Amino acid sequence: LTTDFREATNTHSTSAVVSVSPTTLTFDAPDRATPFHLRRISYRIVNGNLERSTATSTDTDGWPWVFPVAPAPWIPGLTSIRNGGVFTLYDQNGIATTDPNAVHSVRVTLSVAPKLNQAGASTYSALVTIRTLTCNGFARKRTGSCCSPCSA
C-alpha cells in the first residue's frame, strides 16, 4: 500500500487521487511496462479485512486514460483489522482533508489483533507522501506538466 501510494500520478494536471474516505482509498499509478499503462489502485476495509483492487488502463497513449468498464476483482489481504478509520488524508500543508484533489499524503493506521486472542492488538502507522516526479532534470509539481520547470 505505501509503495503503491508513493508512485501515485496520473501524468496530467489533475490529482492522482480518485476517491478517499476513512475506509477507502483509490488512486492512479503507472505500471512498470514500456510503454506504461496507468493502474487504478483501490484499497478498502471490509469487515476487518484490507482488500486491494487494480484496474489497468487499456491504452498507453496518455491522458485521457481509458479503464475497463467492468470493475477489477477485490483481492483479500490483511485480516483481523480492529480499527475502522484506517486512512487519514492530508493536503500539502499537513491539514487533514477529504478532498481527493487536495491529497498530498496519507497516514495509514492499522490496529491488528492476533487470530487466537492470546495477546493484545498491535498498531502500525505510516505517513506516506506522493513523490515528486522528475522529467529531463526538472522537478515537476504534482499538478504541473511533465518537462516544465516548477515556478516559484
Side-chain angles (χ1 to χ4, degrees):
L1 191 157
T2 57
T3 301
D4 285 342
F5 190 72
R6 280 188 185 102
E7 296 173 356
T9 186
N10 70 359
T11 69
H12 191 62
S13 61
T14 57
S15 176
V17 178
V18 176
S19 63
V20 296
S21 80
T23 58
T24 63
L25 175 62
T26 299
F27 55 91
D28 294 337
D31 67 7
R32 290 172 179 83
T34 302
F36 73 88
H37 293 83
L38 206 62
R39 300 173 296 160
R40 180 144 297 157
I41 303 169
S42 299
Y43 288 92
R44 70 180 182 184
I45 302 295
V46 176
N47 298 322
N49 298 312
L50 178 65
E51 298 178 337
R52 182 180 191 266
S53 174
T54 304
T56 302
S57 67
T58 58
D59 62 332
T60 59
D61 61 351
W63 193 87
W65 295 96
V66 178
F67 290 92
V69 175
W74 288 96
I75 309 300
L78 187 62
T79 61
S80 304
I81 297 172
R82 298 293 179 229
N83 56 320
V86 172
F87 304 111
T88 306
L89 305 129
Y90 300 96
D91 65 15
Q92 65 183 5
N93 298 314
I95 298 169
T97 184
T98 57
D99 179 1
N101 296 310
V103 174
H104 179 69
S105 58
V106 61
R107 177 165 301 282
V108 181
T109 305
L110 299 170
S111 181
V112 182
K115 291 186 178 191
L116 298 178
N117 292 330
Q118 294 179 351
S122 296
T123 300
Y124 304 92
S125 183
L127 180 64
V128 185
T129 301
I130 298 173
R131 292 182 178 161
T132 301
L133 299 178
T134 60
C135 184
N136 295 336
F138 292 111
R140 189 188 95 151
K141 288 184 179 179
R142 200 167 74 81
T143 58
S145 61
C146 191
C147 304
S148 298
C150 292
S151 58

